[in-house]
């Protein structure tokens, strides 16, 4: 059998391979192995019906049986060795083991005494020694065949690979989830350096109250002929970077006015910073707290009423499960920024600045790299919002942000409509007033008290409020992803007027991506004494 197999492999096999497909060849090979195995089983069972002439000598019968076992296992070993050669599986190790075992069986068969010649009787001691050697070799051969069987059993190998892939995917999913939770916790936490800076600025105000009295009203903050910016944040160092990057890159900085709004807790720190480090080249900054805008109350703004409701407080603060902090989605939905009024001020720009015609809204995690006054010159075609669209393929479309199983959403919006980005938006406040966009925002916010229209954030209500009222801007105005996407190209970044660190990896955090961090840190005022004292590690 073994000789015929090798001959077919070297001669007829080459013709078959040229005629049949590789799959047919492998199937034939499997059939051959099955027949070889069946032959072993069949031959092993025949010893129960040996001819009567052999039954007279028990040792001779056992010797014949051992001879058959050795011959059959030699055939099996040679077959597996040939198959190992064909598939080149563990060729250097497995092939050598099978060939060595085949040589051992051949040596055993060639030993004097294994075959009876001229009717000579065999000595029992010699027989027992030969029998022991053969049985040991047979046992070794069977063990090797069982161990290597999965290498030749395609279905077994496929199943094993599937099990391995499933286990690795489970581990990967768990690692991603743990990483996302850790990242969210890091993003939510206030770094010691930021806390230190705020405390030192407030301490400076307390120590020198006379130095930090409010300046007299500057009429430039209401002059519609100037370039106005809105920045809403409680992060002093982030606001300073945004403002400084605009001023440094502006061609006519004396025409730029910044409207900074923060909360009551950080108002003093924000004012002291800009008093200690006044803007260069004639630029102006107005700093207010949310509380100074008296029209913003729970009777006017739905979001304020909802934030004060017991139901929403329970959703954000009640720990309903022992492992709730391990759920990345649970943590994401309960991020404190979604409770901040500062996050929703962008929907009240016309009421906050009634004498202005246009205003550029900037998030506190952006850096301005070029003069952006060209935004005021863009014709918005009567639209309210000028923004960069973020959709590509099926990603970042309305269907990903809104609940289209809700009948009202399904009737009002197209799920394939392209989404756009908050963070750098030029707003035509006159068009806003004309279209009554704030009323539209209130309408949708009132309906979403149970979070059935969207889950979280300000982008979904923004997409709804400015639906069909947004002018698409060239992508070079606003490049996003520096807070989560390591694949943003440096060529794209260099061409951008504004870069945005949206995502959890903010540039002032330790988890920031190093390849993008320097683009932000170069606008940090390192000469400011409190920045040095608070060890920002920039």
């Amino acid at each position: 059998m073994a000789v015929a197999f090798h001959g077919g492999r070297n001669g007829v096999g080459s013709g078959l391979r040229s005629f049949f497909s590789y799959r047919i060849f492998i199937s034939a090979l499997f059939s051959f192995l099955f027949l070889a195995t069946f032959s072993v089983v069949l031959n092993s069972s025949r010893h129960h019906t040996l001819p009567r002439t052999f039954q007279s000598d028990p040792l001779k019968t056992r010797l014949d049986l051992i001879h058959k076992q050795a011959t059959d296992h030699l055939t099996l070993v040679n077959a597996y060795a040939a198959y190992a050669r064909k598939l080149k599986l563990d060729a250097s190790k497995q092939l050598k083991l099978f060939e060595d075992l085949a040589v051992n069986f051949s040596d055993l068969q060639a030993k004097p005494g294994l075959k009876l010649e001229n009717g000579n009787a065999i000595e029992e001691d010699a027989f027992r020694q030969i029998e022991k050697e053969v049985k040991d070799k047979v046992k070794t051969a069977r063990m090797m065949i069982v161990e290597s069987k999965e290498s030749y059993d395609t279905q077994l190998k496929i199943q094993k690979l599937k099990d391995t892939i499933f286990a690795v995917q489970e581990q990967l999913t768990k690692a991603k989830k743990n990483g996302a939770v850790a990242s969210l916790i890091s993003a939510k936490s206030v770094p010691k350096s930021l806390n230190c800076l705020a405390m030192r600025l407030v301490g400076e105000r307390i120590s020198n109250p006379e130095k930090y009295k409010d300046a007299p009203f500057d009429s430039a903050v209401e002059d519609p002929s100037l370039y106005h910016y809105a920045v809403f944040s409680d992060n002093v160092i982030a606001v300073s970077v945004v403002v400084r990057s605009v001023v440094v890159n502006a061609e006519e900085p004396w025409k730029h006015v910044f409207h900074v709004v923060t909360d009551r807790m950080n108002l003093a720190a924000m004012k002291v910073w800009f008093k200690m480090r006044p803007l260069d080249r004639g630029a102006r900054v107005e700093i207010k707290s949310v509380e100074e805008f008296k029209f913003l109350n729970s009777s006017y703004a739905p979001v304020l009423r909802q934030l004060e409701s017991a139901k929403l407080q329970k959703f954000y603060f009640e720990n309903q499960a022992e492992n709730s902090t391990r759920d990345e989605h649970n943590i994401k939905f309960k991020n404190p920024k979604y409770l901040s009024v500062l996050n929703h001020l962008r929907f009240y720009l016309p009421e906050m600045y009634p004498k202005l015609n246009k205003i550029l809204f900037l998030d506190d995690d952006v850096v301005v790299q070029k003069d952006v006054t060209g935004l005021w010159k863009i014709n918005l075609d009567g639209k309210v919002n000028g923004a960069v669209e973020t959709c590509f393929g099926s990603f970042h479309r309305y269907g990903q942000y809104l609940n289209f199983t809700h009948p009202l959403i399904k009737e009002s919006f197209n799920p394939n409509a392209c989404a756009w980005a908050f963070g750098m938006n030029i707003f035509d406040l006159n068009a806003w007033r004309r279209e009554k966009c704030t009323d539209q925002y209130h309408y949708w916010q009132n309906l979403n008290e149970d979070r059935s229209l969207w889950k979280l954030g300000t982008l979904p209500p923004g997409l709804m409020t400015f639906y069909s009222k947004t002018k698409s801007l060239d992508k070079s105005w606003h490049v996003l992803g520096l807070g989560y996407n390591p694949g943003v190209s440096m060529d794209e970044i260099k061409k951008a007027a504004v870069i945005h660190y949206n995502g959890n990896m903010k540039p002032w955090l330790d988890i920031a991506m190093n390849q993008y961090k320097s683009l932000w840190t170069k606008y940090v005022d390192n000469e400011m004494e409190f920045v040095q004292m608070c060890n920002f590690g920039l």
Side-chain angles (χ1 to χ4, degrees):
M1 276 177 74
V3 174
F5 180 84
H6 285 296
R9 178 176 178 271
N10 296 328
V12 181
S14 60
L16 289 174
R17 285 195 299 273
S18 64
F19 182 79
F20 294 100
S21 67
Y22 179 74
R23 181 175 296 178
I24 296 175
F25 178 76
I26 293 299
S27 300
L29 203 54
F30 269 114
S31 300
F32 174 79
L33 289 176
F34 172 78
L35 291 173
T37 305
F38 180 76
S39 175
V40 171
V41 175
L42 184 63
N43 289 335
S44 297
S45 65
R46 286 179 179 172
H47 72 280
H48 294 293
T49 58
L50 289 173
R52 187 180 301 273
T53 55
F54 288 108
Q55 294 180 4
S56 60
D57 189 350
L59 291 180
K60 194 172 183 180
T61 301
R62 290 168 61 185
L63 185 63
D64 186 63
L65 177 62
I66 292 171
H67 185 273
K68 286 181 179 295
Q69 287 182 337
T71 301
D72 291 339
H73 282 84
L74 172 63
T75 301
L76 274 178
V77 169
N78 280 331
Y80 274 98
Y83 197 40
R85 289 191 200 96
K86 176 63 185 172
L87 298 181
K88 297 181 180 179
L89 294 173
D90 297 328
S92 61
K93 181 179 178 181
Q94 195 177 67
L95 180 60
K96 189 175 187 307
L97 287 173
F98 279 122
E99 288 180 339
D100 289 346
L101 199 57
V103 171
N104 290 337
F105 275 115
S106 299
D107 292 344
L108 281 173
Q109 285 183 310
K111 274 190 173 185
L114 188 59
K115 296 181 179 179
L116 294 178
E117 298 178 357
N118 301 323
N120 295 331
I122 183 172
E123 295 182 3
E124 186 170 350
D125 291 341
F127 171 76
R128 292 187 182 280
Q129 179 65 29
I130 293 172
E131 182 182 38
K132 183 178 183 302
E133 290 184 23
V134 172
K135 285 185 176 180
D136 289 343
K137 297 300 181 184
V138 168
K139 183 179 179 181
T140 302
R142 288 176 177 174
M143 290 176 59
M144 287 179 57
I145 290 171
V146 169
E147 290 177 0
S148 61
K149 187 176 181 180
E150 65 181 43
S151 298
Y152 307 100
D153 190 332
T154 306
Q155 292 300 323
L156 185 62
K157 178 171 283 190
I158 291 173
Q159 185 59 48
K160 187 174 181 180
L161 286 172
K162 285 182 177 179
D163 293 342
T164 303
I165 292 171
F166 179 78
V168 171
Q169 286 178 337
E170 286 287 303
Q171 293 177 355
L172 180 61
T173 301
K174 185 177 180 180
K176 283 183 175 180
K177 184 175 182 179
N178 291 338
V181 171
S183 179
L184 286 168
I185 291 173
S186 299
K188 286 170 59 178
S189 305
V190 178
K192 289 182 179 179
S193 54
L194 282 181
N195 185 63
C196 167
L197 180 61
M199 292 299 100
R200 289 192 177 277
L201 290 168
V202 172
E204 173 69 15
R205 172 68 179 263
I206 295 171
S207 301
N208 304 285
E210 296 297 323
K211 289 175 59 178
Y212 301 103
K213 288 184 177 180
D214 291 340
F217 176 76
D218 187 348
S219 60
V221 299
E222 295 181 345
D223 187 349
S225 65
L226 301 178
Y227 302 112
H228 293 265
Y229 301 80
V231 185
F232 307 144
S233 174
D234 57 1
N235 187 328
V236 177
I237 196 74
V239 171
S240 72
V241 167
V242 174
V243 173
R244 194 164 190 242
S245 66
V246 174
V247 174
V248 168
N249 293 292
E251 295 178 1
E252 299 175 310
W254 55 90
K255 293 184 178 180
H256 296 253
V257 181
F258 298 90
H259 302 269
V260 177
V261 181
T262 187
D263 54 24
R264 185 184 301 168
M265 184 181 296
N266 291 279
L267 179 63
M270 199 77 73
K271 286 185 174 182
V272 171
W273 174 280
F274 285 102
K275 198 79 171 182
M276 293 181 69
R277 310 298 294 176
L279 300 184
D280 297 330
R281 305 164 67 193
R284 301 171 177 86
V285 60
E286 174 196 46
I287 302 171
K288 287 188 174 183
S289 68
V290 176
E291 292 75 16
E292 293 181 55
F293 297 95
K294 300 300 182 184
F295 70 91
L296 285 173
N297 52 64
S298 57
S299 62
Y300 175 68
V303 70
L304 293 179
R305 183 176 65 255
Q306 292 168 9
L307 292 178
E308 293 173 0
S309 70
K311 185 176 180 180
L312 198 65
Q313 294 291 330
K314 181 179 180 181
F315 170 77
Y316 275 99
F317 296 114
E318 185 180 67
N319 185 10
Q320 297 179 345
E322 183 179 349
N323 64 344
S324 63
T325 56
R326 297 181 184 178
D327 187 344
E328 60 175 301
H329 298 291
N330 193 16
I331 291 179
K332 184 176 181 180
F333 290 160
K334 297 187 178 185
N335 194 320
K337 76 176 185 178
Y338 300 119
L339 278 176
S340 173
V341 179
L342 292 172
N343 208 37
H344 295 267
L345 286 182
R346 64 193 71 189
F347 294 105
Y348 297 98
L349 289 170
E351 291 91 337
M352 295 171 70
Y353 309 108
K355 296 186 178 181
L356 301 183
N357 299 325
K358 280 189 176 182
I359 194 167
L360 182 64
F361 170 77
L362 296 175
D363 270 340
D364 65 354
D365 55 354
V366 306
V367 170
V368 177
Q369 301 187 124
K370 298 179 180 179
D371 183 274
V372 291
T373 54
L375 288 168
W376 276 263
K377 301 170 186 176
I378 293 176
N379 183 4
L380 296 181
D381 299 325
K383 303 291 180 67
V384 177
N385 174 29
V388 169
E389 292 183 337
T390 56
C391 62
F392 60 96
S394 61
F395 297 99
H396 296 288
R397 297 188 180 274
Y398 271 55
Q400 291 182 281
Y401 298 97
L402 306 178
N403 178 20
F404 274 87
T405 62
H406 195 289
L408 190 57
I409 296 293
K410 191 174 182 179
E411 292 173 7
S412 305
F413 305 99
N414 178 3
N416 295 318
C418 189
W420 42 266
F422 263 134
M424 189 225 69
N425 307 79
I426 183 71
F427 288 110
D428 184 334
L429 300 183
N430 291 327
W432 185 318
R433 298 181 186 105
R434 183 183 68 246
E435 297 290 341
K436 298 182 179 179
C437 292
T438 302
D439 292 341
Q440 282 290 312
Y441 164 68
H442 284 174
Y443 170 76
W444 293 115
Q445 192 69 49
N446 276 320
L447 291 175
N448 196 51
E449 187 166 1
D450 59 355
R451 299 179 303 283
S452 61
L453 305 186
W454 72 88
K455 286 291 184 183
L456 54 86
T458 54
L459 181 57
L463 296 175
M464 301 165 80
T465 300
F466 302 113
Y467 183 62
S468 73
K469 303 180 183 70
T470 298
K471 169 80 171 182
S472 177
L473 303 180
D474 187 273
K475 293 186 181 298
S476 63
W477 280 111
H478 186 192
V479 169
L480 298 103
L482 279 69
Y484 72 91
N485 181 12
V488 182
S489 71
M490 292 307 299
D491 289 339
E492 192 177 1
I493 289 172
K494 289 176 182 177
K495 296 175 183 177
V498 176
I499 54 175
H500 194 169
Y501 292 83
N502 57 310
N504 290 329
M505 300 178 187
K506 302 301 183 188
W508 54 84
L509 298 176
D510 291 337
I511 61 174
M513 287 185 278
N514 291 329
Q515 66 265 40
Y516 305 137
K517 192 169 184 177
S518 62
L519 301 170
W520 183 84
T521 56
K522 71 178 182 179
Y523 292 106
V524 174
D525 190 350
N526 290 301
E527 295 180 2
M528 207 284 187
E529 57 180 300
F530 294 154
V531 171
Q532 299 173 9
M533 294 170 65
C534 290
N535 191 26
F536 269 82
L538 303 174

